Each structure stands twice: as structure tokens, then as C-alpha cells.
């Protein structure tokens, strides 16, 4: 790019919306174990460079958080979301959508 150029190289990511699932009546100890497994799953994916950014929302809405995956296909994104202990238990259900961003984008 040259100075003043507004051309951006775009890359496709996959954004996952972590929604409240239908099964949230676990005992506190079980819910804590599920959450620990969820965080371990997320940490593993982040360490592998698959998760670019993730985090919970700060309100009591039904969308609990988001994750942005750098992964080649929607099918692969769906596969790894189904491996999450919180999804397996029904505490979360996940909606994954393709999302485009400029290469090198950062939060400021």
C-alpha cells in the first residue's frame, strides 16, 4: 500500500456466539467443573492460535460471550465448538458465522 491508499487485505474468520443453553440446572459443583473444562478447552485453542479473541459479555443476557476463530472452514469451527464441555453439557449452545476483518486488525 502507498500513503493514502485505503485498500485492505481481508481475511475470513469465524465468530461464535456462546448462547445460554437449555440445561443450566446443574449443581454448583458440577457447573464449576463444566466451566473449568470450558476454560481449559478455550485455553488450548488459544495456545494453538485458533482463537484470536474471546470473552464473556458483562450483562445478564442470553448471549454469554463471543469467540473469534482463525480456522479455514465453517465445518471445522462447528466441530471444535462441539468439543467444548459447556456445549456437550447443554449449558451453552453455539451459533457460528463467517466474519471478515482486515488482516492485522487490532483492538485499541
Amino acid at each position: 500500500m502507498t500513503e493514502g491508499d485505503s485498500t485492505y487485505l481481508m481475511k475470513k474468520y469465524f465468530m461464535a456466539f456462546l448462547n445460554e443453553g437449555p440445561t443450566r440446572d446443574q449443581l454448583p459443583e458440577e457447573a464449576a467443573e463444566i466451566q473449568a473444562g470450558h476454560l481449559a478447552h478455550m485455553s488450548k485453542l488459544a495456545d494453538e492460535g485458533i482463537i484470536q479473541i474471546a470473552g464473556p459479555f458483562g450483562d445478564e443476557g442470553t448471549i454469554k460471550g463471543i469467540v473469534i476463530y482463525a480456522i479455514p472452514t465453517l465445518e471445522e469451527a462447528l466441530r471444535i465448538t462441539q468439543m467444548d464441555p459447556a456445549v456437550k453439557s447443554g449449558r451453552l449452545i453455539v451459533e457460528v458465522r463467517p466474519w471478515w476483518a482486515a488482516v492485522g486488525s487490532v483492538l485499541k
Side-chain angles (χ1 to χ4, degrees):
M1 288 191 329
T2 59
E3 186 175 335
D5 188 356
S6 61
T7 302
Y8 293 94
L9 177 61
M10 301 296 283
K11 179 177 177 179
K12 182 168 52 173
Y13 298 88
F14 292 92
M15 182 178 288
F17 294 89
L18 308 178
N19 298 298
E20 188 173 282
T23 309
R24 299 186 65 82
D25 59 354
Q26 294 91 355
L27 295 173
E29 300 81 19
E30 185 181 2
E33 185 177 317
I34 293 167
Q35 181 67 6
H38 166 69
L39 294 175
H41 175 72
M42 301 288 279
S43 291
K44 179 181 177 291
L45 294 174
D47 290 346
E48 293 172 359
I50 294 170
I51 290 179
Q52 299 298 295
I53 193 165
F57 286 111
D59 60 16
E60 296 300 318
T62 59
I63 302 174
K64 298 304 183 185
I66 61 165
V67 182
I68 297 177
Y69 299 111
I71 202 158
T73 67
L74 176 60
E75 292 76 22
E76 183 68 7
L78 292 169
R79 186 185 69 75
I80 63 173
T81 63
Q82 296 308 308
M83 296 167 58
D84 187 321
V87 174
K88 288 181 179 180
S89 71
R91 286 190 68 77
L92 294 176
I93 54 175
V94 181
E95 174 189 358
V96 181
R97 309 220 17 227
W99 180 69
W100 291 86
V103 171
S105 295
V106 294
L107 293 173
K108 297 180 181 182

